[in-house]
């Protein structure tokens, strides 16, 4: 992982932690920068605006769900209900913190 992507991931981690501990309404650029241990300029280098950070958080969540769905789908036999079972299994294997972040 390059230093740029490492810092980017650390910032997304920090944003998730702010949402989990303080709520989505408290996720500001300043709060995330402080939690990630980067300057506000460093944060803006990776995410020019809050919308960009939110999109990155959403993409990370989608990637996690898709990975879990692929793992669950591989274990299930073909059936008409396979996709819904896949989704339910993926959702519950994410863990409560990820589900709470997504809900926020």
């Amino acid at each position: 992982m390059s230093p740029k992507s490492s810092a980017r991931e650390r910032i997304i981690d920090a944003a998730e932690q702010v949402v989990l501990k303080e709520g989505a309404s408290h996720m500001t650029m300043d709060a995330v920068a402080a939690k990630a241990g980067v300057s506000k300029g460093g944060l803006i280098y990776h995410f020019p605006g809050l919308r960009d950070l939110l999109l990155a958080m959403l993409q990370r969540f989608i990637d996690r769900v898709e990975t879990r769905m692929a793992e669950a789908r591989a274990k299930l036999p073909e059936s008409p209900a396979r996709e819904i079972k896949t989704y339910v299994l993926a959702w519950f294997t994410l863990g409560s913190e990820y589900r709470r972040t997504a809900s926020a």
Side-chain angles (χ1 to χ4, degrees), residues 4-17:
K4 182 177 177 179
S5 63
S6 176
R8 182 178 167 82
E9 292 303 309
R10 191 171 72 245
I11 292 167
I12 298 170
D13 290 342
E16 288 177 349
Q17 291 171 12

Side-chain angles (χ1 to χ4, degrees), residues 28-39:
T28 63
M29 296 294 267
D30 289 326
V32 173
K35 185 65 124 177
V38 298
S39 67

Side-chain angles (χ1 to χ4, degrees), residues 19-35:
V19 169
L20 280 172
K21 293 181 180 173
E22 301 174 35
S25 63
H26 294 279
M27 192 185 96
T28 63
M29 296 294 267
D30 289 326
V32 173
K35 185 65 124 177

Side-chain angles (χ1 to χ4, degrees), residues 62-77 82-83 85-95 98:
I62 290 168
D63 292 345
R64 284 178 180 150
V65 170
E66 287 177 347
T67 298
R68 295 297 197 298
M69 287 180 71
E71 291 167 355
R73 188 178 294 112
K75 296 175 185 175
L76 293 171
R82 183 180 185 193
E83 285 306 306
K85 288 179 183 178
T86 296
Y87 180 80
V88 170
L89 288 170
W91 183 253
F92 286 106
T93 60
L94 278 174
Y98 294 126

Side-chain angles (χ1 to χ4, degrees), residues 43-59:
L43 173 63
I44 291 170
Y45 172 78
H46 294 284
F47 302 100
L50 194 56
R51 182 178 189 275
D52 301 295
L53 180 54
L54 289 169
L55 289 172
M57 291 172 67
L58 179 59
Q59 187 59 56

